[in-house]
Amino acid sequence: MKKTILLIVALVATMLLAACGPQFAPTSDPDAGQARKKLVLMSHDSFAVSEDVITQFEQETNITVEFLLAGDAGAALNKACLSKGNPLGDVFFGVDNTFLSRAINCGIFEPYRSPALDSVPSELYLDPAFGLLPVDFGYVNLNYDRRWFDEQGLAVPGRLEDLIKPAYKGLLVVENPATSSPGLAFLLTTIAHFGEDGDYSYLDFWRDLRANGVLITDGWSEAYFGHFTVGSGGEGDRPLVVSYATSPPADVFYSESSKSEPDSGNISPADGTFRQIEFVGILKGTEQREAAEELVDFMLSRAFQEDIPLQMFVYPANGEAALPDLFTRFAEVPVEPVDIDAGAIEANRERWIEAWTETVLR
Amino acid sequence: MSAQLARARSLIYLLPLAFLLIFYFYPLASILGMSLAPDGQLDLGALFDMIFSPYVGRALWFTTWQALASTALTLLLGMPAAYVFARYAFPGKSLIRALTTIPFVIPTVVAATAFTTLLGPRGFINEWLMTAFGLPEPPVSLLYTVWIILLVHAFYNATVVVRIVGGFWANLDPRMSEAAAVLGANRWRVMWEITFPLLMPAIVAASLLVFLFCFTSFGVVLILGGPRYATLEVEIYRQAVNFFNLPLAAVLSLVQLGFTFIVMVVYTRIQARASIPLNMRPQSSTARRPANWRQWLVVGVVNTLLLIVVMIPLLALAVRSVTLGDGPPTLRYYQALTENPTQDIFFVAPIQAIRNSLLIAFVVVVISLALGLISAYLLAGPDRKDSRLVGWLDPLFLLPLGTSAVTLGFGYIIALDEPPLDLRTSLLLVPIAHTLIAMPFVVRSVLPALRGLNPRLREGAAVLGASPTRVLREIDLPIIGRALLVAAVFAFTVSMGEFGATLLIYRPEFPTMSVAIYRALGQPGMLNYGRALAMSTVLMLVCAVGLLFIERFRIGDIGEF
């Protein structure tokens, strides 16, 4: 018994000691002529990349990349802001335009005008100081169940205004903007489309949507897998969902029996979609500025950019990157996504979400 | 006792306190301080205005009443089961008990799928009712109501009552009730006047844990209750993550903590008073095979009820993992678990996820049992001298359960950022966070048994010349062995299932099963959904096996003394 207790105490003590010790073994490789540098790329949970693409970078540059996934996009950015001056990583990927102003206000990014930006359309740079560089973008729009609408002989809604017609009663599921990024994007779309005041404001639209039986879920996966008829494998009860323009190609790519056509389709009315741009930046306080620049350049290069679509199901920012066949065939690029300023989003987010909550939920 | 030994003993007692101080109070104080007084200046007026605002009041009100109602419902479901498990031996008992513990490890997103499969508008029950009675509309619509919140809370927490009350009950000497019956008391009178008072410490302990779990409920309220209902925990997340309004998030955290602390002070006072030294009996001598058809009926009805509430949703999930899609039943999604078509660098091979989850759970069981047992001795052991100190210490050990995962996660970022404590990106943070949640369960499971321990047994042994360690080994451990086993079960399940804190601090190179489920649910496509369902089923199986293994593992000679 004494031994057991001693063992337990020793274990706990070891844990505590280990906890206090250095976190990483020295990474320098004595065999290599020159020490390998180690970079930490901090990102959100949805970050994904092919193994061989990263290996290629590591071989070319003598830099080892470690990843730190720090929760959803909002939580990861907040952690970066909290660790200002003593950063958790060297490079941060995954600030999007709904969080852009918060990121800039935090002052956690070092300006870097990568030469690779020359291949990126200038409309995607939203940070004039180049603290944050665009890496990818996607569109939040409506997805519909093609078979369901066929069988019902119902026309697909062509505009946001259609969603409040009796024919579409009880068909739509939307994510809560307070807890979900596509939910927020859709709320912003309606604000840009209907405006805050006037005869028919975005709140009027939401009031009508509510009367027309819109269903609100907390996050994307509950909406898509839990309620959308396509995503749930027939169990759901909603043939219309707020999702991404690239969800149909993903539907084919991740189909169980390699189907050739998606069961879902895009509805991308003019002035009725939102473009989400994701940015990368070098964190202030990094001791690896040069290596960090190399990683940022690499993330904008064709090798990484062409890997993006099938990993994260968004579009590469680099205009020279080739798109996979699936994207060109099944994802619709919306003509005119709504235009809404990142500063206005940060300044009004809380107020808009509160007003929305009052109107739709209470 | 020599002075040296006494010093060693107080050093051991300091271990759990040091653990809480470093990994709980310090990070928490840092984040609260930074949020409320960024310039070192605390604006009390503004603070009070926020605390007493109608917004906070509304959230607190809903949080409290739903937690109370959920606890009541959980007791209603759990108590008969605790009785049946404590007093009867019947075939399949340990399997059924292991199965009822599984909900504890099911991530909310997956539980939501299970309940939607069962109770949703196109769910199994509605489809059946519509065909059977020719109804045009689905008759059951529980989704996004407060009813489903209560039901799912009972589904998750029934096991707390079954395990803590049932475990304690099993060791109660049945002869006292038998004597009362012989003296002419009827069954109900025995129940009310003998059994309940003796069980009170365990019932109160279980109720408190259930209450706290429901009080800080995040996923269940968010996902199944729908966005209309918000607990304090949900509001903290919204304020901290979506609005980056750290001061308001801190105020909400303080309200949640303060309320938790008050509840716990009241509880620990009642608890310490309610416990009576008892003559505990080994379980083997208290559980009997049902003797007649009426007892079999009781066992049958109670188990059926449990099966319906706890196991049918789990079963629905497992069935769904092979029947998803249009085709015939398939193991396709299980096969897909091992495939990485995109060569994603964060791909989680199922065997690796299982290994990581089990490894973390093992570490958590060891640390939380060790620290929890020391804490329980500190609170109620024979060395306890100052009961006023205990009155304050006891609630402190429970406090981590009342803390929001986001608040603490952010606290780690700003507090543990300098050597020797730069743990912000350490692999160890996950087991540490799990231990913080598991420790209250360990302490709560062990305390009623430890307090019920008859001091005369110990004194007798000591008089007869037994050393303190021998007393511990031969008197204490056999008697609290059952409670330790219960504690181990909780530590294991808390770790296997924990989700919120894990996502905030996990390292991608060490993914667990719940991380794998979460990643699959983040991508569209049938294959990903199927993968999440398959991985959830694997998680259930691994847990069931782990729980059965723990049940077989005897501590001391429990059962045979």
Side-chain angles (χ1 to χ4, degrees):
Chain A
M1 192 63 230
K2 206 182 252 171
K3 259 190 205 150
T4 322
I5 290 188
L6 271 177
L7 191 77
I8 290 171
V9 172
L11 244 165
V12 174
T14 321
M15 282 286 301
L16 290 175
L17 277 180
C20 304
Q23 289 323 302
F24 303 104
T27 44
S28 57
D29 184 358
D31 295 332
Q34 157 194 17
R36 278 192 81 80
K37 282 172 260 174
K38 186 185 65 91
L39 270 187
V40 177
L41 176 62
M42 188 177 173
S43 187
H44 51 60
D45 298 329
S46 312
F47 179 70
V49 61
S50 297
E51 194 149 12
D52 49 2
V53 170
I54 286 299
T55 313
Q56 181 198 335
F57 172 73
E58 292 186 328
Q59 278 165 358
E60 281 171 8
T61 57
N62 210 26
I63 295 169
T64 308
V65 186
E66 276 187 13
F67 299 92
L68 178 69
L69 307 187
D72 60 37
L77 173 62
N78 293 357
K79 285 164 104 173
C81 286
L82 285 173
S83 57
K84 182 180 180 178
N86 183 7
L88 289 156
D90 305 288
V91 175
F92 186 98
F93 167 75
V95 177
D96 73 10
N97 43 336
T98 66
F99 284 115
L100 185 77
S101 282
R102 179 183 306 174
I104 293 173
N105 292 341
C106 277
I108 50 173
F109 293 105
E110 288 190 5
Y112 172 53
R113 199 188 184 301
S114 166
L117 274 182
D118 295 344
S119 326
V120 175
S122 56
E123 58 180 45
L124 295 177
Y125 322 162
L126 295 185
D127 178 11
F130 295 102
L132 285 162
L133 315 181
V135 173
D136 65 56
F137 60 95
Y139 298 96
V140 174
N141 68 357
L142 293 168
N143 283 194
Y144 71 102
D145 181 341
R146 304 194 331 165
R147 199 173 350 155
W148 191 93
F149 276 91
D150 250 12
E151 280 170 6
Q152 301 290 316
L154 190 60
V156 174
R159 310 178 306 155
L160 292 182
E161 286 82 352
D162 289 344
L163 294 172
I164 56 174
K165 289 183 178 161
Y168 303 107
K169 195 175 173 74
L171 303 187
L172 173 67
V173 54
V174 173
E175 300 84 358
N176 182 357
T179 46
S180 147
S181 123
L184 177 63
F186 189 62
L187 171 62
L188 295 174
T189 309
T190 62
I191 293 170
H193 184 81
F194 295 102
E196 276 202 82
D197 349 82
D199 298 345
Y200 193 79
S201 74
Y202 78 102
L203 287 176
D204 292 318
F205 173 71
W206 279 102
R207 209 166 284 127
D208 289 342
L209 260 192
R210 178 182 179 172
N212 213 24
V214 67
L215 178 70
I216 313 289
T217 64
D218 121 76
W220 176 85
S221 53
E222 290 75 44
Y224 197 86
F225 290 132
H227 294 280
F228 182 41
T229 44
V230 172
S232 63
E235 195 129 305
D237 55 342
R238 304 273 163 163
L240 284 171
V241 66
V242 168
S243 189
Y244 299 90
T246 44
S247 297
D251 182 44
V252 176
F253 188 79
Y254 285 113
S255 67
E256 120 210 58
S257 48
S258 9
K259 54 184 159 192
S260 52
E261 291 263 305
D263 289 329
S264 57
N266 287 149
I267 303 172
S268 305
D271 206 17
T273 60
F274 184 84
R275 184 169 61 194
Q276 213 170 10
I277 309 172
E278 281 193 299
F279 303 87
V280 68
I282 298 174
L283 286 165
K284 252 184 203 151
T286 171
E287 285 157 15
Q288 313 256 23
R289 167 82 199 210
E290 258 171 58
E293 286 180 5
E294 282 184 79
L295 180 60
V296 169
D297 292 346
F298 177 72
M299 288 177 78
L300 291 171
S301 74
R302 275 186 66 174
F304 187 91
Q305 290 278 313
E306 287 180 357
D307 187 47
I308 286 177
L310 293 183
Q311 285 293 352
M312 296 189 267
F313 283 90
V314 284
Y315 290 91
N318 186 329
E320 288 161 12
L323 283 177
D325 200 28
L326 274 177
F327 270 50
T328 43
R329 280 170 64 204
F330 302 125
E332 201 175 296
V333 176
V335 233
E336 287 166 54
V338 294
D339 190 20
I340 191 157
D341 176 59
I345 298 174
E346 193 59 26
N348 297 300
R349 177 197 314 259
E350 197 162 343
R351 190 170 60 79
W352 284 336
I353 292 179
E354 286 309 330
W356 179 91
T357 306
E358 279 305 319
T359 308
V360 181
L361 298 180
R362 298 247 156 82
Chain B
M1 195 190 305
S2 72
Q4 211 174 358
L5 199 64
R7 200 174 322 131
R9 197 174 274 211
S10 30
L11 273 181
I12 291 181
Y13 280 150
L14 282 180
L15 272 180
L17 294 177
F19 184 85
L20 282 184
L21 204 66
I22 298 173
F23 298 119
Y24 178 70
F25 288 106
Y26 170 53
L28 192 67
S30 305
I31 184 75
L32 291 182
M34 197 214 80
S35 312
L36 292 174
D39 320 312
Q41 205 74 327
L42 185 64
D43 185 352
L44 277 178
L47 183 65
F48 278 105
D49 282 352
M50 274 200 274
I51 291 181
F52 296 105
S53 68
Y55 159 75
V56 172
R58 206 164 44 197
L60 180 63
W61 167 241
F62 171 73
T63 309
T64 313
W65 79 254
Q66 68 78 21
L68 279 175
S70 300
T71 310
L73 190 66
T74 310
L75 280 173
L76 209 65
L77 177 71
M79 282 303 289
Y83 165 72
V84 163
F85 283 123
R87 284 295 181 240
Y88 293 108
F90 52 90
K93 183 168 147 182
S94 55
L95 183 67
I96 295 180
R97 190 165 42 202
L99 289 174
T100 54
T101 311
I102 291 179
F104 232 66
V105 305
I106 298 297
T108 326
V109 199
V110 178
T113 307
F115 276 86
T116 316
T117 306
L118 207 60
L119 290 169
R122 297 269 173 91
F124 171 72
I125 289 179
N126 271 323
E127 294 265 301
W128 180 77
L129 286 172
M130 282 162 74
T131 0
F133 301 102
L135 303 169
E137 295 273 317
V140 183
S141 64
L142 285 176
L143 230 51
Y144 307 122
T145 65
V146 78
W147 300 108
I148 200 150
I149 298 180
L150 304 188
L151 180 68
V152 177
H153 277 159
F155 159 82
Y156 269 111
N157 296 313
T159 186
V160 177
V161 178
V162 172
R163 294 271 175 179
I164 292 187
V165 180
F168 188 76
W169 205 334
N171 288 349
L172 272 191
D173 193 342
R175 280 176 301 185
M176 218 181 309
S177 321
E178 283 161 17
V182 168
L183 292 172
N186 69 29
R187 197 191 307 259
W188 293 111
R189 197 153 162 218
V190 172
M191 200 61 151
W192 278 115
E193 296 188 4
I194 310 277
T195 315
F196 265 127
L198 293 179
L199 281 179
M200 229 28 194
I203 296 177
V204 179
S207 311
L208 180 88
L209 289 175
V210 174
F211 177 82
L212 282 183
F213 247 53
C214 302
F215 188 74
T216 56
S217 186
F218 182 73
V220 173
V221 174
L222 201 61
I223 298 175
L224 280 160
R228 199 156 302 170
Y229 302 100
T231 49
L232 284 168
E233 188 88 11
V234 173
E235 292 293 346
I236 292 169
Y237 187 87
R238 287 181 53 185
Q239 294 300 338
V241 173
N242 289 293
F243 306 144
F244 207 40
N245 188 343
L246 292 182
L248 188 47
V251 164
L252 290 164
S253 305
L254 272 181
V255 169
Q256 181 166 318
L257 267 182
F259 192 83
T260 313
F261 191 71
I262 294 169
V263 170
M264 287 180 308
V265 169
V266 173
Y267 150 82
T268 44
R269 297 279 145 92
I270 298 174
Q271 181 77 331
R273 221 175 298 153
S275 48
I276 317 151
L278 296 165
N279 287 312
M280 303 279 214
R281 305 291 303 163
Q283 209 199 348
S284 52
S285 73
T286 60
R288 305 202 171 115
R289 269 184 92 75
N292 51 39
W293 69 267
R294 272 165 68 182
Q295 295 186 347
W296 275 114
L297 188 70
V298 169
V299 170
V301 167
V302 168
N303 277 314
T304 311
L305 212 75
L306 259 189
L307 279 168
I308 290 175
V309 177
V310 174
M311 278 178 247
I312 291 198
L314 299 179
L315 204 66
L317 191 65
V319 169
R320 189 96 177 105
S321 73
V322 290
T323 57
L324 181 68
D326 297 332
T330 168
L331 289 176
R332 176 77 192 90
Y333 304 110
Y334 289 84
Q335 192 192 333
L337 281 180
T338 60
E339 295 163 1
N340 183 9
T342 60
Q343 293 304 308
D344 179 4
I345 200 165
F346 301 118
F347 170 74
V348 189
I351 199 75
Q352 186 198 1
I354 292 170
R355 196 201 60 203
N356 292 349
S357 284
L358 286 175
L359 197 66
I360 292 175
F362 175 74
V363 174
V364 172
V365 168
V366 171
I367 308 182
S368 62
L369 276 194
L371 294 179
L373 191 60
I374 298 171
S375 315
Y377 264 86
L378 181 62
L379 296 177
D383 299 343
R384 179 171 63 102
K385 290 186 190 76
D386 185 357
S387 62
R388 196 175 311 152
L389 180 70
V390 170
W392 289 110
L393 268 185
D394 197 357
L396 287 188
F397 283 114
L398 276 165
L399 222 45
L401 272 191
T403 313
S404 126
V406 187
T407 310
L408 197 61
F410 285 171
Y412 282 162
I413 298 298
I414 60 164
L416 306 179
D417 64 336
E418 274 164 27
L421 271 177
D422 190 1
L423 288 181
R424 297 177 303 174
T425 61
S426 164
L427 272 180
L428 281 171
L429 270 192
V430 173
I432 287 171
H434 290 181
T435 301
L436 281 177
I437 310 172
M439 245 171 74
F441 282 92
V442 176
V443 177
R444 255 42 252 174
S445 310
V446 176
L447 262 187
L450 204 58
R451 287 206 173 113
L453 205 66
N454 199 329
R456 274 174 300 176
L457 275 177
R458 279 202 194 109
E459 288 156 15
V463 167
L464 294 173
S467 69
T469 36
R470 184 143 179 229
V471 172
L472 182 69
R473 185 177 65 220
E474 293 187 8
I475 309 272
D476 291 10
L477 267 191
I479 294 180
I480 60 169
R482 180 81 216 159
L484 268 184
L485 215 60
V486 171
V489 164
F490 281 125
F492 177 76
T493 41
V494 159
S495 174
M496 294 291 284
E498 209 287 330
F499 203 48
T502 312
L503 275 180
L504 272 177
I505 52 187
Y506 83 100
R507 297 284 323 215
E509 65 270 24
F510 208 76
T512 61
M513 282 193 266
S514 36
V515 168
I517 294 168
Y518 179 83
R519 274 198 85 82
L521 282 172
Q523 290 267 313
M526 191 73 82
L527 214 52
N528 285 310
Y529 187 39
R531 249 185 216 164
L533 295 179
M535 198 53 170
S536 307
T537 311
V538 173
L539 178 65
M540 296 197 297
L541 287 177
V542 171
C543 265
V545 172
L547 291 169
L548 286 172
F549 177 78
I550 296 177
E551 298 240 21
R552 291 263 168 277
F553 183 75
R554 295 275 179 238
I555 295 173
D557 281 336
I558 173 187
E560 279 140 49
F561 75 100

